[in-house]
Amino acid sequence: MQNLHHDHVLHCSTQQQYRSIVVLNGKIPSSSFFKRDIPIIAVDGGANKLLSIGVKPDLVVGDLDSVNLDLRANLNTIYLPDQDYCDFSKAMAHLKTVKLLPSIVTGITGGAIDHILQNINIFLSTGSIFYTPSPPMVGYTLQKGITHFFSLPKNTKISLLGIPRAQISTKGLKWELHLSNLAFPGKNSCFNRSLGNKVSVEVHSGICLAMIYLETVDDAARHHVRQVKK
């Protein structure tokens, strides 16, 4: 298995000028990930996660009920008490107002399943990307009417989901899709593989969530293990 640096997948045709890093209260990467020349925005309890690895956020947004009281006085905060919306939703609305979108979102996983689904639900409308450290993965929303190109090593794992529906065609995957209808719930393409170093995904309609693992998979080795177990 080959591990890829997290910046590798950021360099593809869907790359935008990301204007901030948004940190939720889930699993976050090591401090080296945050060494970028863009603001680091913590969503409420995400501030605790950052401070625990020695990273001070430029701003903390939310109702602030999860931020360590002993640390809050030394942080730049924006208090948003509206309980009709979750802190992530309020934070992204604020960042849109101050033109700090699109973002690289991390900490999106690691909590309860309903919390993760809600995070993804909010993420989908922001035009941002997400990064998860375990497993290392980058997630994109691919819009209709565009062919998206990715430069990937052979045997990179990729999953494609219709959110809630999409019709797509691909080139460069082990299991190609042609005018395939994806839906959630319904049929999707999970754990597909890149055949070479170029993959394209054309979205004919709807929105497709693409999740690209930052590691390659040796299918031959995996099959060998299965045979041994039998």
Side-chain angles (χ1 to χ4, degrees):
M1 182 178 292
Q2 175 189 357
N3 292 324
L4 310 177
H5 191 269
H6 48 65
D7 277 338
H8 179 86
V9 179
L10 299 183
H11 295 288
C12 66
S13 70
T14 59
Q15 184 183 15
Q16 303 182 59
Q17 185 63 44
Y18 300 110
R19 297 177 178 177
S20 58
I21 301 176
V22 173
V23 183
L24 307 182
N25 194 20
K27 292 182 180 178
I28 67 172
S30 65
S31 59
S32 62
F33 180 86
F34 299 97
K35 294 179 179 179
R36 303 169 189 271
D37 193 24
I38 52 177
I40 301 171
I41 314 299
V43 177
D44 206 347
N48 301 328
K49 293 292 182 71
L50 284 170
L51 293 168
S52 72
I53 60 170
V55 176
K56 183 178 180 180
D58 296 289
L59 180 66
V60 183
V61 181
D63 61 15
L64 308 181
D65 64 340
S66 300
V67 182
N68 188 315
L69 290 175
D70 295 332
L71 303 173
R72 189 188 300 180
N74 296 318
L75 297 173
N76 182 21
T77 62
I78 293 181
Y79 176 55
L80 299 174
D82 187 352
Q83 295 302 304
D84 287 336
Y85 298 92
C86 71
D87 286 328
F88 184 22
S89 181
K90 290 183 286 187
M92 297 308 268
H94 173 74
L95 294 184
K96 182 178 181 180
T97 300
V98 298
K99 302 187 184 306
L100 284 178
L101 292 181
S103 298
I104 302 170
V105 180
T106 191
I108 203 167
T109 61
I113 185 64
D114 54 346
H115 200 181
I116 294 171
L117 289 172
Q118 174 68 340
N119 286 342
I120 293 173
N121 176 50
I122 295 166
F123 158 82
L124 290 170
S125 64
T126 65
S128 300
I129 67 171
F130 71 74
Y131 173 76
T132 66
S134 180
M137 174 198 296
V138 176
Y140 302 90
T141 50
L142 308 183
Q143 303 294 329
K144 67 179 180 180
I146 302 175
T147 300
H148 305 266
F149 296 93
F150 298 89
S151 178
L152 304 170
K154 183 179 179 180
N155 283 332
T156 297
K157 187 161 60 174
I158 178 171
S159 292
L160 301 165
L161 288 76
I163 304 293
R165 286 172 292 278
Q167 185 182 73
I168 71 170
S169 297
T170 65
K171 291 182 180 178
L173 294 180
K174 184 174 182 178
W175 297 285
E176 292 286 28
L177 304 171
H178 178 65
L179 296 176
S180 296
N181 294 308
L182 308 180
F184 186 85
K187 180 181 178 181
N188 288 289
S189 176
C190 289
F191 311 123
N192 212 323
R193 305 282 190 274
S194 60
L195 286 177
N197 59 5
K198 297 292 183 183
V199 171
S200 68
V201 181
E202 181 178 2
V203 183
H204 305 290
S205 64
I207 297 175
C208 177
L209 175 61
M211 292 175 285
I212 300 176
Y213 288 72
L214 302 190
E215 58 188 21
T216 60
V217 177
D218 185 348
D219 281 330
R222 286 162 57 92
H223 293 160
H224 177 69
V225 170
R226 290 194 188 104
Q227 290 171 0
V228 169
K229 286 183 177 179
K230 289 179 180 178

Short mmCIF file of all heavy atoms in Angstrom, two decimals, residues 61-101:
data_model
loop_
_atom_site.label_atom_id
_atom_site.label_comp_id
_atom_site.label_asym_id
_atom_site.label_seq_id
_atom_site.Cartn_x
_atom_site.Cartn_y
_atom_site.Cartn_z
N VAL A 61 -15.95 30.12 15.94
CA VAL A 61 -17.32 30.54 15.65
C VAL A 61 -18.29 29.51 16.22
O VAL A 61 -18.07 28.30 16.13
CB VAL A 61 -17.53 30.66 14.12
CG1 VAL A 61 -18.95 31.13 13.82
CG2 VAL A 61 -16.53 31.63 13.52
N GLY A 62 -19.40 29.99 16.79
CA GLY A 62 -20.44 29.10 17.29
C GLY A 62 -21.07 29.64 18.55
O GLY A 62 -20.87 30.81 18.91
N ASP A 63 -21.83 28.78 19.24
CA ASP A 63 -22.42 29.24 20.51
C ASP A 63 -21.44 29.10 21.67
O ASP A 63 -21.74 29.50 22.80
CB ASP A 63 -23.72 28.51 20.81
CG ASP A 63 -23.56 27.00 20.95
OD1 ASP A 63 -22.41 26.53 21.09
OD2 ASP A 63 -24.58 26.29 20.92
N LEU A 64 -20.26 28.53 21.38
CA LEU A 64 -19.11 28.50 22.30
C LEU A 64 -19.36 27.69 23.56
O LEU A 64 -18.61 27.82 24.54
CB LEU A 64 -18.68 29.93 22.67
CG LEU A 64 -18.44 30.89 21.49
CD1 LEU A 64 -18.00 32.26 22.00
CD2 LEU A 64 -17.42 30.32 20.51
N ASP A 65 -20.36 26.82 23.55
CA ASP A 65 -20.64 26.04 24.76
C ASP A 65 -19.67 24.88 24.94
O ASP A 65 -19.62 24.28 26.02
CB ASP A 65 -22.08 25.52 24.75
CG ASP A 65 -22.36 24.55 23.61
OD1 ASP A 65 -21.60 24.56 22.62
OD2 ASP A 65 -23.35 23.80 23.70
N SER A 66 -18.90 24.55 23.89
CA SER A 66 -17.98 23.42 23.99
C SER A 66 -16.52 23.85 24.11
O SER A 66 -15.64 23.00 24.26
CB SER A 66 -18.13 22.51 22.76
OG SER A 66 -19.44 22.00 22.67
N VAL A 67 -16.25 25.14 24.03
CA VAL A 67 -14.87 25.61 24.11
C VAL A 67 -14.42 25.63 25.56
O VAL A 67 -15.15 26.10 26.45
CB VAL A 67 -14.74 27.03 23.51
CG1 VAL A 67 -13.28 27.49 23.55
CG2 VAL A 67 -15.25 27.05 22.08
N ASN A 68 -13.23 25.11 25.81
CA ASN A 68 -12.66 25.09 27.15
C ASN A 68 -12.63 26.51 27.73
O ASN A 68 -12.04 27.43 27.16
CB ASN A 68 -11.23 24.52 27.08
CG ASN A 68 -10.63 24.28 28.45
OD1 ASN A 68 -10.74 25.11 29.35
ND2 ASN A 68 -9.99 23.13 28.60
N LEU A 69 -13.30 26.70 28.88
CA LEU A 69 -13.42 28.03 29.47
C LEU A 69 -12.07 28.64 29.82
O LEU A 69 -11.89 29.86 29.74
CB LEU A 69 -14.30 27.95 30.73
CG LEU A 69 -15.79 27.69 30.48
CD1 LEU A 69 -16.52 27.53 31.81
CD2 LEU A 69 -16.41 28.83 29.68
N ASP A 70 -11.12 27.81 30.21
CA ASP A 70 -9.80 28.32 30.58
C ASP A 70 -9.03 28.86 29.38
O ASP A 70 -8.09 29.64 29.54
CB ASP A 70 -8.97 27.21 31.24
CG ASP A 70 -9.58 26.75 32.57
OD1 ASP A 70 -10.25 27.58 33.22
OD2 ASP A 70 -9.39 25.58 32.93
N LEU A 71 -9.44 28.44 28.18
CA LEU A 71 -8.72 28.83 26.97
C LEU A 71 -9.43 29.92 26.18
O LEU A 71 -8.82 30.61 25.37
CB LEU A 71 -8.53 27.60 26.06
CG LEU A 71 -7.80 26.41 26.68
CD1 LEU A 71 -7.83 25.22 25.72
CD2 LEU A 71 -6.36 26.77 27.01
N ARG A 72 -10.73 30.09 26.43
CA ARG A 72 -11.54 30.97 25.59
C ARG A 72 -11.06 32.42 25.61
O ARG A 72 -11.11 33.13 24.60
CB ARG A 72 -13.00 30.92 26.03
CG ARG A 72 -13.94 31.64 25.07
CD ARG A 72 -15.35 31.75 25.62
NE ARG A 72 -15.96 30.46 25.89
CZ ARG A 72 -17.19 30.32 26.37
NH1 ARG A 72 -17.91 31.40 26.65
NH2 ARG A 72 -17.69 29.13 26.60
N ALA A 73 -10.57 32.89 26.76
CA ALA A 73 -10.18 34.29 26.89
C ALA A 73 -9.05 34.68 25.94
O ALA A 73 -8.91 35.85 25.57
CB ALA A 73 -9.76 34.58 28.34
N ASN A 74 -8.26 33.70 25.53
CA ASN A 74 -7.12 33.98 24.65
C ASN A 74 -7.43 33.73 23.18
O ASN A 74 -6.52 33.74 22.35
CB ASN A 74 -5.92 33.11 25.06
CG ASN A 74 -5.44 33.44 26.46
OD1 ASN A 74 -5.35 34.61 26.83
ND2 ASN A 74 -5.13 32.42 27.24
N LEU A 75 -8.71 33.53 22.87
CA LEU A 75 -9.11 33.22 21.50
C LEU A 75 -9.96 34.34 20.91
O LEU A 75 -10.71 35.01 21.63
CB LEU A 75 -9.89 31.90 21.46
CG LEU A 75 -9.15 30.64 21.91
CD1 LEU A 75 -10.12 29.46 21.97
CD2 LEU A 75 -7.98 30.33 20.98
N ASN A 76 -9.84 34.52 19.61
CA ASN A 76 -10.69 35.44 18.88
C ASN A 76 -11.99 34.71 18.54
O ASN A 76 -11.96 33.71 17.81
CB ASN A 76 -9.99 35.91 17.60
CG ASN A 76 -10.79 36.92 16.83
OD1 ASN A 76 -11.69 37.58 17.38
ND2 ASN A 76 -10.50 37.05 15.55
N THR A 77 -13.11 35.15 19.10
CA THR A 77 -14.36 34.40 18.97
C THR A 77 -15.48 35.26 18.39
O THR A 77 -15.48 36.48 18.51
CB THR A 77 -14.83 33.86 20.33
OG1 THR A 77 -15.08 34.96 21.22
CG2 THR A 77 -13.78 32.94 20.95
N ILE A 78 -16.42 34.57 17.74
CA ILE A 78 -17.69 35.18 17.33
C ILE A 78 -18.80 34.33 17.92
O ILE A 78 -18.92 33.13 17.61
CB ILE A 78 -17.81 35.25 15.80
CG1 ILE A 78 -16.78 36.22 15.22
CG2 ILE A 78 -19.23 35.69 15.40
CD1 ILE A 78 -16.85 36.37 13.71
N TYR A 79 -19.60 34.93 18.77
CA TYR A 79 -20.67 34.22 19.47
C TYR A 79 -21.94 34.26 18.63
O TYR A 79 -22.47 35.34 18.32
CB TYR A 79 -20.90 34.88 20.83
CG TYR A 79 -22.05 34.31 21.62
CD1 TYR A 79 -22.12 32.95 21.91
CD2 TYR A 79 -23.05 35.15 22.10
CE1 TYR A 79 -23.17 32.43 22.65
CE2 TYR A 79 -24.11 34.64 22.85
CZ TYR A 79 -24.16 33.27 23.11
OH TYR A 79 -25.21 32.77 23.84
N LEU A 80 -22.41 33.07 18.23
CA LEU A 80 -23.63 32.95 17.43
C LEU A 80 -24.60 32.03 18.18
O LEU A 80 -24.53 30.81 18.06
CB LEU A 80 -23.30 32.37 16.05
CG LEU A 80 -22.32 33.20 15.19
CD1 LEU A 80 -21.96 32.46 13.91
CD2 LEU A 80 -22.92 34.57 14.86
N PRO A 81 -25.51 32.59 18.96
CA PRO A 81 -26.33 31.79 19.87
C PRO A 81 -27.56 31.12 19.25
O PRO A 81 -28.21 30.31 19.90
CB PRO A 81 -26.77 32.82 20.92
CG PRO A 81 -26.83 34.11 20.16
CD PRO A 81 -25.71 34.05 19.16
N ASP A 82 -27.91 31.44 18.00
CA ASP A 82 -29.14 30.94 17.38
C ASP A 82 -29.18 29.41 17.42
O ASP A 82 -28.38 28.73 16.76
CB ASP A 82 -29.21 31.43 15.94
CG ASP A 82 -30.55 31.10 15.28
OD1 ASP A 82 -31.35 30.36 15.88
OD2 ASP A 82 -30.78 31.57 14.15
N GLN A 83 -30.13 28.84 18.18
CA GLN A 83 -30.22 27.39 18.34
C GLN A 83 -31.08 26.72 17.26
O GLN A 83 -31.28 25.51 17.29
CB GLN A 83 -30.77 27.05 19.72
CG GLN A 83 -29.85 27.47 20.86
CD GLN A 83 -28.47 26.83 20.75
OE1 GLN A 83 -28.34 25.61 20.69
NE2 GLN A 83 -27.43 27.66 20.70
N ASP A 84 -31.57 27.51 16.30
CA ASP A 84 -32.31 26.92 15.18
C ASP A 84 -31.36 26.30 14.15
O ASP A 84 -31.80 25.58 13.25
CB ASP A 84 -33.18 27.97 14.49
CG ASP A 84 -34.39 28.35 15.33
OD1 ASP A 84 -34.81 27.53 16.17
OD2 ASP A 84 -34.91 29.47 15.15
N TYR A 85 -30.08 26.61 14.27
CA TYR A 85 -29.08 26.07 13.34
C TYR A 85 -27.89 25.55 14.15
O TYR A 85 -27.57 26.09 15.22
CB TYR A 85 -28.60 27.16 12.37
CG TYR A 85 -29.70 27.70 11.50
CD1 TYR A 85 -30.42 28.83 11.89
CD2 TYR A 85 -30.02 27.10 10.29
CE1 TYR A 85 -31.44 29.33 11.10
CE2 TYR A 85 -31.03 27.59 9.49
CZ TYR A 85 -31.74 28.70 9.90
OH TYR A 85 -32.75 29.19 9.11
N CYS A 86 -27.24 24.52 13.62
CA CYS A 86 -26.07 23.98 14.31
C CYS A 86 -24.87 24.90 14.09
O CYS A 86 -24.87 25.75 13.19
CB CYS A 86 -25.78 22.56 13.85
SG CYS A 86 -25.14 22.44 12.17
N ASP A 87 -23.83 24.71 14.88
CA ASP A 87 -22.67 25.59 14.81
C ASP A 87 -21.98 25.54 13.45
O ASP A 87 -21.50 26.56 12.95
CB ASP A 87 -21.67 25.23 15.91
CG ASP A 87 -22.14 25.67 17.29
OD1 ASP A 87 -22.83 26.70 17.37
OD2 ASP A 87 -21.82 24.98 18.28
N PHE A 88 -21.91 24.36 12.84
CA PHE A 88 -21.27 24.23 11.53
C PHE A 88 -22.02 25.06 10.50
O PHE A 88 -21.42 25.80 9.71
CB PHE A 88 -21.22 22.76 11.13
CG PHE A 88 -20.50 22.47 9.84
CD1 PHE A 88 -19.56 23.34 9.31
CD2 PHE A 88 -20.76 21.29 9.15
CE1 PHE A 88 -18.90 23.05 8.11
CE2 PHE A 88 -20.11 20.99 7.97
CZ PHE A 88 -19.18 21.87 7.45
N SER A 89 -23.34 24.96 10.50
CA SER A 89 -24.15 25.72 9.56
C SER A 89 -23.98 27.23 9.76
O SER A 89 -23.81 27.99 8.80
CB SER A 89 -25.63 25.34 9.72
OG SER A 89 -26.43 26.03 8.80
N LYS A 90 -23.98 27.66 11.02
CA LYS A 90 -23.81 29.08 11.32
C LYS A 90 -22.42 29.57 10.91
O LYS A 90 -22.26 30.68 10.38
CB LYS A 90 -24.04 29.33 12.81
CG LYS A 90 -25.49 29.18 13.24
CD LYS A 90 -25.69 29.51 14.71
CE LYS A 90 -25.15 28.42 15.61
NZ LYS A 90 -25.49 28.64 17.03
N ALA A 91 -21.42 28.73 11.14
CA ALA A 91 -20.05 29.11 10.79
C ALA A 91 -19.90 29.28 9.28
O ALA A 91 -19.30 30.26 8.81
CB ALA A 91 -19.07 28.06 11.30
N MET A 92 -20.46 28.35 8.50
CA MET A 92 -20.32 28.43 7.05
C MET A 92 -21.09 29.63 6.50
O MET A 92 -20.65 30.27 5.54
CB MET A 92 -20.79 27.14 6.40
CG MET A 92 -19.95 25.92 6.79
SD MET A 92 -18.17 26.14 6.55
CE MET A 92 -17.96 25.49 4.89
N ALA A 93 -22.23 29.96 7.11
CA ALA A 93 -22.97 31.15 6.69
C ALA A 93 -22.15 32.41 6.95
O ALA A 93 -22.12 33.34 6.13
CB ALA A 93 -24.31 31.21 7.42
N HIS A 94 -21.48 32.44 8.10
CA HIS A 94 -20.63 33.59 8.42
C HIS A 94 -19.46 33.69 7.44
O HIS A 94 -19.14 34.78 6.95
CB HIS A 94 -20.10 33.48 9.85
CG HIS A 94 -19.08 34.53 10.19
ND1 HIS A 94 -19.42 35.84 10.43
CD2 HIS A 94 -17.72 34.45 10.29
CE1 HIS A 94 -18.32 36.54 10.67
NE2 HIS A 94 -17.29 35.72 10.59
N LEU A 95 -18.83 32.56 7.14
CA LEU A 95 -17.68 32.58 6.23
C LEU A 95 -18.10 33.00 4.82
O LEU A 95 -17.32 33.65 4.11
CB LEU A 95 -17.02 31.20 6.20
CG LEU A 95 -16.36 30.76 7.51
CD1 LEU A 95 -15.65 29.43 7.32
CD2 LEU A 95 -15.39 31.81 8.02
N LYS A 96 -19.31 32.64 4.43
CA LYS A 96 -19.81 33.09 3.13
C LYS A 96 -19.95 34.61 3.11
O LYS A 96 -19.59 35.28 2.13
CB LYS A 96 -21.15 32.43 2.82
CG LYS A 96 -21.72 32.81 1.46
CD LYS A 96 -23.03 32.08 1.18
CE LYS A 96 -23.58 32.44 -0.19
NZ LYS A 96 -24.86 31.72 -0.47
N THR A 97 -20.44 35.16 4.21
CA THR A 97 -20.63 36.61 4.30
C THR A 97 -19.31 37.36 4.22
O THR A 97 -19.21 38.41 3.57
CB THR A 97 -21.34 36.97 5.62
OG1 THR A 97 -22.62 36.34 5.66
CG2 THR A 97 -21.53 38.47 5.76
N VAL A 98 -18.27 36.82 4.85
CA VAL A 98 -16.97 37.51 4.87
C VAL A 98 -16.04 37.00 3.77
O VAL A 98 -14.85 37.29 3.78
CB VAL A 98 -16.30 37.36 6.26
CG1 VAL A 98 -17.15 38.02 7.32
CG2 VAL A 98 -16.04 35.89 6.60
N LYS A 99 -16.62 36.23 2.82
CA LYS A 99 -15.89 35.77 1.63
C LYS A 99 -14.67 34.91 1.98
O LYS A 99 -13.59 35.07 1.41
CB LYS A 99 -15.48 36.97 0.76
CG LYS A 99 -16.67 37.81 0.30
CD LYS A 99 -16.27 38.87 -0.69
CE LYS A 99 -17.45 39.78 -1.05
NZ LYS A 99 -18.64 39.04 -1.54
N LEU A 100 -14.89 33.96 2.91
CA LEU A 100 -13.84 33.00 3.24
C LEU A 100 -14.21 31.58 2.79
O LEU A 100 -13.68 30.60 3.30
CB LEU A 100 -13.55 33.03 4.75
CG LEU A 100 -12.74 34.22 5.24
CD1 LEU A 100 -12.56 34.17 6.74
CD2 LEU A 100 -11.37 34.28 4.54
N LEU A 101 -15.13 31.48 1.84
CA LEU A 101 -15.43 30.22 1.19
C LEU A 101 -14.90 30.28 -0.24
O LEU A 101 -14.81 31.36 -0.82
CB LEU A 101 -16.94 29.96 1.18
CG LEU A 101 -17.62 29.70 2.53
CD1 LEU A 101 -19.11 29.43 2.31
CD2 LEU A 101 -16.98 28.54 3.26
#
